[in-house]
């Protein structure tokens, strides 16, 4: 799993791709638009190198602050 820390003035959507395979679109809903929020995303990663990509070709995405890999903060 990954922890995604982000800021956004309103609810925004992004699709996460793992090694080229798209997951369902994720909603990034700011609990407080003035602070950094977080979202936990469960991913299946392979051993070795992986590519994680956030995208939305149609509208703005949230501003990503940091991403932490692992099962605990």
């Amino acid at each position: 799993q990954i922890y995604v820390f982000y800021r956004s003035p309103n609810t925004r959507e992004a699709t996460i791709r793992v090694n080229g395979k798209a997951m369902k679109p994720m909603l990034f809903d700011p609990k407080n638009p003035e602070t950094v929020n977080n979202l936990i995303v469960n991913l299946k990663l392979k051993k070795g190198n992986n590519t994680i990509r956030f995208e939305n070709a149609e509208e703005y995405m949230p501003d990503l602050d940091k991403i932490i890999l692992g099962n605990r903060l």
Side-chain angles (χ1 to χ4, degrees), residues 5-23:
F5 293 82
Y6 65 95
R7 257 184 101 163
S8 184
N10 52 17
T11 300
R12 295 190 175 168
E13 187 176 291
T15 297
I16 301 173
R17 288 186 176 272
V18 178
N19 300 318
K21 184 177 178 184
M23 298 177 57

Side-chain angles (χ1 to χ4, degrees), residues 12-73:
R12 295 190 175 168
E13 187 176 291
T15 297
I16 301 173
R17 288 186 176 272
V18 178
N19 300 318
K21 184 177 178 184
M23 298 177 57
K24 67 179 182 171
M26 304 292 295
L27 288 179
F28 291 80
D29 186 20
K31 295 162 192 68
N32 182 346
E34 301 298 319
T35 63
V36 175
N37 299 276
N38 69 33
L39 179 68
I40 299 170
V41 182
N42 290 311
L43 302 177
K44 287 193 175 193
L45 301 175
K46 63 182 183 178
K47 280 189 174 185
N49 295 329
N50 291 272
T51 301
I52 301 171
R53 183 180 175 106
F54 295 79
E55 55 188 40
N56 185 329
E58 298 178 16
E59 59 187 22
Y60 290 115
M61 292 191 340
D63 295 326
L64 300 180
D65 179 58
K66 67 181 171 183
I67 299 168
I68 297 176
L69 296 170
N71 58 4
R72 53 180 97 184
L73 288 174

